[in-house]
Amino acid sequence: MEGGFQRSAEAFHGSKYISMGLVQKSSLHDYWSTSEVLSTPFFGTVMTRNRFELIMTFLHAADNTKAKKRGEDGYDPLFRIRGLHDRYLQRSKEAFTPDRELSLDEATMLWKGNISYRVYNPKKPIKFGIKIYMLCDAATGYVVDWQVYTSKTDQVQEHGHSYRVVHDLLRPDLRGKGYRVYMDRYFSSPKLYDDLYSHGIHATGTVMPNRKNMPKAATTRRLQKGEKVVYSRNPLNCMKWKDKRDIYMLTSAHSCEMVPTEKTDRKTGEILKKPDIVMLYN
């Protein structure tokens, strides 16, 4: 029986489950449908539907009897997948060397199950799910590193939760090599950019004007559409630019020069210009 289970699990992991990600159907049962409209014969040739559901029910990636309960020392919310998670994360780091431009952002993986770290955001396309912070190669989209958000208590940090996340993802082996990272205002702050610069990493991104050590004059100065103002102190440039609304950006990598876009003004016919950091960030 044990040998039979291993053979079935290999088929389950190998061809079948991967193919389910490539051939998407509205329900699990549709993969075994004999309807002329829905039929995909491959899945039925690998195993029966009942066999597949049985394996799905009992397949585990960890010994649950060794899991620590919440509140105990060593408690790990990801214990049930920790082995697989760390294995794939390590291989992701080893298999690819990113180019100079990096992108750091968060994503939500759809999940409606009952887990303590499930998040809900009504403004997102995926409202229920698991939040994942990702560091990606900007040119290819390859995920260089990631971190799963697992607890609200994790936000209690000396410089804030987002600060800690950025420093974790921009790990020591990426520092001092001239990388440029782009991020949104959830992460950006003068303190973070200064510290990244000290580690040999240049950063650019949108920023909230009320962040600590942001120039207060930027929030009070009124601009006309298309105008910009730059406040500088080594190594940072803080820019306020008026588009349809006020845009605040922070950079330790660029000069905030105005550069031509591919669009023209409908009234004057002149080529429209934008700050270089806005073009690069987009």
Side-chain angles (χ1 to χ4, degrees):
M1 177 179 288
E2 181 180 355
F5 175 80
Q6 289 177 346
R7 288 193 297 272
S8 297
E10 289 173 2
F12 168 85
H13 278 301
S15 58
K16 189 175 191 65
Y17 202 61
I18 292 175
S19 297
M20 282 183 167
L22 301 175
V23 182
Q24 297 187 15
K25 296 182 181 290
S26 59
S27 71
L28 185 65
H29 287 191
D30 286 344
Y31 287 98
W32 285 267
S33 174
T34 57
S35 166
E36 293 183 358
V37 178
L38 300 176
S39 176
T40 305
F42 165 75
F43 297 101
T45 63
V46 177
M47 70 177 72
T48 65
R49 188 188 71 195
N50 290 345
R51 179 63 171 165
F52 177 82
E53 291 179 342
L54 188 64
I55 293 176
M56 284 285 288
T57 301
F58 293 102
L59 187 67
H60 286 71
D63 184 353
N64 290 344
T65 61
K66 297 181 180 180
K68 299 289 185 179
K69 294 182 179 180
R70 190 179 305 172
E72 293 182 351
D73 291 339
Y75 169 71
D76 182 6
L78 298 179
F79 175 81
R80 293 186 178 185
I81 61 166
R82 176 59 67 186
L84 289 175
H85 172 276
D86 291 353
R87 177 182 175 86
Y88 280 112
L89 179 57
Q90 186 61 35
R91 291 296 297 134
S92 180
K93 294 176 181 179
E94 296 172 350
F96 182 81
T97 300
D99 207 347
R100 184 176 67 171
E101 311 289 334
L102 301 172
S103 175
L104 196 153
D105 204 352
E106 63 178 65
T108 304
M109 182 179 69
L110 179 63
W111 183 266
K112 295 185 178 181
N114 185 22
I115 53 175
S116 61
Y117 49 91
R118 185 186 67 172
V119 298
Y120 172 69
N121 189 336
K123 297 181 180 180
K124 295 287 187 178
I126 299 178
K127 295 176 174 56
F128 291 93
I130 300 172
K131 183 189 292 186
I132 303 174
Y133 301 107
M134 302 186 301
L135 180 68
C136 304
D137 176 74
T140 64
Y142 182 92
V143 182
V144 179
D145 201 349
W146 70 82
Q147 189 173 101
V148 180
Y149 171 80
T150 58
S151 173
K152 291 182 180 180
T153 58
D154 185 41
Q155 295 179 352
V156 181
Q157 302 288 331
E158 181 181 359
H159 301 297
H161 173 71
S162 60
Y163 178 97
R164 197 269 306 156
V165 168
V166 174
H167 271 268
D168 285 353
L169 293 179
L170 291 168
R171 54 190 189 268
D173 62 295
L174 295 175
R175 301 174 186 177
K177 297 180 179 179
Y179 280 110
R180 291 179 176 177
V181 60
Y182 297 81
M183 64 190 77
D184 65 23
R185 66 181 194 162
Y186 174 76
F187 302 98
S188 296
S189 70
K191 168 65 177 175
L192 173 64
Y193 281 29
D194 283 337
D195 290 351
L196 290 178
Y197 186 83
S198 70
H199 292 306
I201 297 176
H202 299 270
T204 298
T206 55
V207 62
M208 288 183 277
N210 60 350
R211 289 286 197 187
K212 187 177 180 180
N213 296 325
M214 285 286 289
K216 295 181 179 179
T219 60
T220 58
R221 184 163 178 175
R222 300 178 67 89
L223 302 175
Q224 298 297 319
K225 186 174 181 179
E227 291 183 339
K228 72 175 174 70
V229 60
V230 179
Y231 300 87
S232 299
R233 69 138 175 91
N234 190 43
L236 298 180
N237 286 324
C238 173
M239 183 196 73
K240 179 180 181 180
W241 175 60
K242 182 73 171 183
D243 191 24
K244 294 181 180 179
R245 57 184 177 84
D246 290 336
I247 306 295
Y248 295 87
M249 298 199 69
L250 198 63
T251 182
S252 61
H254 305 288
S255 60
C256 305
E257 295 181 358
M258 299 296 287
V259 295
T261 67
E262 297 179 354
K263 298 181 180 179
T264 57
D265 189 303
R266 293 182 179 180
K267 295 181 179 179
T268 65
E270 295 180 354
I271 297 177
L272 296 176
K273 293 184 177 182
K274 287 184 178 182
D276 59 348
I277 57 173
V278 173
M279 300 281 284
L280 292 166
Y281 174 81
N282 290 338

